[in-house]
Amino acid sequence: MYARATLPAFVLFVLLSSSVSVCSELRVLLRLSDGQITEEVLKADSEKDIITLEFKQGDGTLITFLADFKRHVKIFRALVLGEPERGQTQYQALCFISWLDHGELIPTEAMAKLRQKNPHVVRSADDSCGLEQLSMNAVINMSLSWHLSTHISNVCRDARDLIYTRQQDVKHWVDRGVEGSIFEVLPQSVDVTGLQSCSSPADPWQPCACSYRFNLEWFPCQLKYCRGQGSSPYKCGIKSCSKSYRFDFYTPHKQLCLWDDDT
């Protein structure tokens, strides 16, 4: 039996004050929205200034999230199990890139020092950040993606040429000096009138507007401070958050979006 978290997050998690190695790993049990329990692996590399989060959903889909603080880049990847009986490969990789606001997660240095007191307790987030809907209307050239972040080619290697982003995020990066030629606006946007949802067309090779949604059920989003007797506030733990994401994007044929038939 798993224990259930009842104490505040700042009691369950502590920040080590002593120096630690540049790389660290934290394994957390959490309850998914469907009630199943899974293990989430969080890694921090303070030298590269990145945080990664990975877990497996109840349907077997592997979700990976990487925050590159140096380059203001968030990478979302979903490895969706395929349906061979419907002509799909073993799995399909979806990769979405967006702008990272440094206030969305705790700093890498703090994440690298984070330890939990009760590793067998099933965690639930202190706060929900709701749903963010992103209309992905541009793609990134994989061979040139290092101009944006050197981590894209590794995380998104199985997504091939379909690494999606948004024009509004492209503007942020270009304004910071990123080479604009690595981005390409899609020939059709999901907002274009007449582009059907992938749940509608019967022809599996017809272009359509696809949607994919998943939740990050638990991540450290804010530091907590405590005050001792006659002392200044000090870091003593974290606040955890959950957040839902919906990605809407153009796909060249419905065969790459068969899960829309089930929604």
Side-chain angles (χ1 to χ4, degrees):
M1 292 291 291
Y2 296 106
R4 188 172 181 82
T6 56
L7 296 175
F10 67 87
V11 175
L12 295 169
F13 290 86
V14 294
L15 290 156
L16 300 179
S17 57
S18 58
S19 61
V20 294
S21 61
V22 294
C23 299
S24 69
E25 179 179 291
L26 181 69
R27 293 177 177 269
V28 176
L29 292 174
L30 55 88
R31 191 177 304 277
L32 300 172
S33 56
D34 61 4
Q36 296 190 54
I37 294 173
T38 191
E39 182 181 66
E40 179 177 277
V41 180
L42 300 100
K43 297 180 181 179
D45 188 324
S46 56
E47 186 175 286
K48 295 179 180 178
D49 205 7
I50 62 170
I51 291 175
T52 58
L53 177 161
E54 192 166 75
F55 66 95
K56 188 172 288 188
Q57 296 185 149
D59 63 0
T61 297
L62 182 66
I63 301 295
T64 304
F65 168 79
L66 184 146
D68 182 345
F69 287 87
K70 286 183 179 179
R71 305 296 291 174
H72 290 270
V73 169
K74 286 187 296 191
I75 304 174
F76 301 88
R77 185 193 66 182
L79 292 181
V80 185
L81 294 180
E83 301 179 57
E85 67 277 8
R86 301 177 72 177
Q88 290 186 319
T89 55
Q90 184 178 5
Y91 64 87
Q92 179 181 344
L94 300 173
C95 225
F96 307 103
I97 316 295
S98 66
W99 173 263
L100 172 66
D101 184 336
H102 283 194
E104 295 180 55
L105 298 95
I106 65 173
T108 309
E109 304 80 33
M111 182 66 220
K113 297 177 181 179
L114 193 63
R115 300 292 183 270
Q116 58 180 328
K117 292 184 176 181
N118 302 297
H120 301 297
V121 171
V122 178
R123 311 295 177 186
S124 57
D126 301 318
D127 191 22
S128 171
C129 298
L131 170 68
E132 182 177 2
Q133 187 167 338
L134 301 95
S135 180
M136 314 305 283
N137 48 21
V139 292
I140 297 173
N141 185 323
M142 171 71 88
S143 63
L144 300 175
S145 63
W146 59 270
H147 284 284
L148 179 57
S149 171
T150 56
H151 305 289
I152 294 175
S153 59
N154 181 44
V155 178
C156 300
R157 61 183 180 273
D158 294 321
R160 300 176 185 174
D161 298 325
L162 295 178
I163 304 173
Y164 295 94
T165 189
R166 301 182 297 174
Q167 292 185 57
Q168 65 194 77
D169 293 327
V170 170
K171 185 179 186 305
H172 281 303
W173 294 316
V174 170
D175 288 346
R176 294 177 63 88
V178 175
E179 176 58 52
S181 62
I182 74 171
F183 307 103
E184 181 183 347
V185 178
L186 286 169
Q188 285 186 288
S189 167
V190 292
D191 301 322
V192 172
T193 302
L195 184 63
Q196 290 184 303
S197 166
C198 289
S199 61
S200 301
D203 183 356
W205 306 109
Q206 181 177 333
C208 54
C210 186
S211 294
Y212 191 77
R213 178 171 174 165
F214 61 81
N215 301 331
L216 295 184
E217 300 286 1
W218 192 96
F219 59 92
C221 55
Q222 188 177 320
L223 292 173
K224 285 198 173 186
Y225 292 83
C226 297
R227 184 184 295 274
Q229 282 189 332
S231 64
S232 300
Y234 61 94
K235 299 172 186 175
C236 58
I238 56 100
K239 174 184 176 182
S240 59
C241 291
S242 64
K243 188 169 183 177
S244 300
Y245 294 90
R246 171 176 164 168
F247 300 93
D248 299 321
F249 55 99
Y250 167 87
T251 185
H253 48 83
K254 178 183 175 178
Q255 188 70 6
L256 295 173
C257 187
L258 292 181
W259 55 81
D260 256 8
D261 287 343
D262 305 323
T263 59

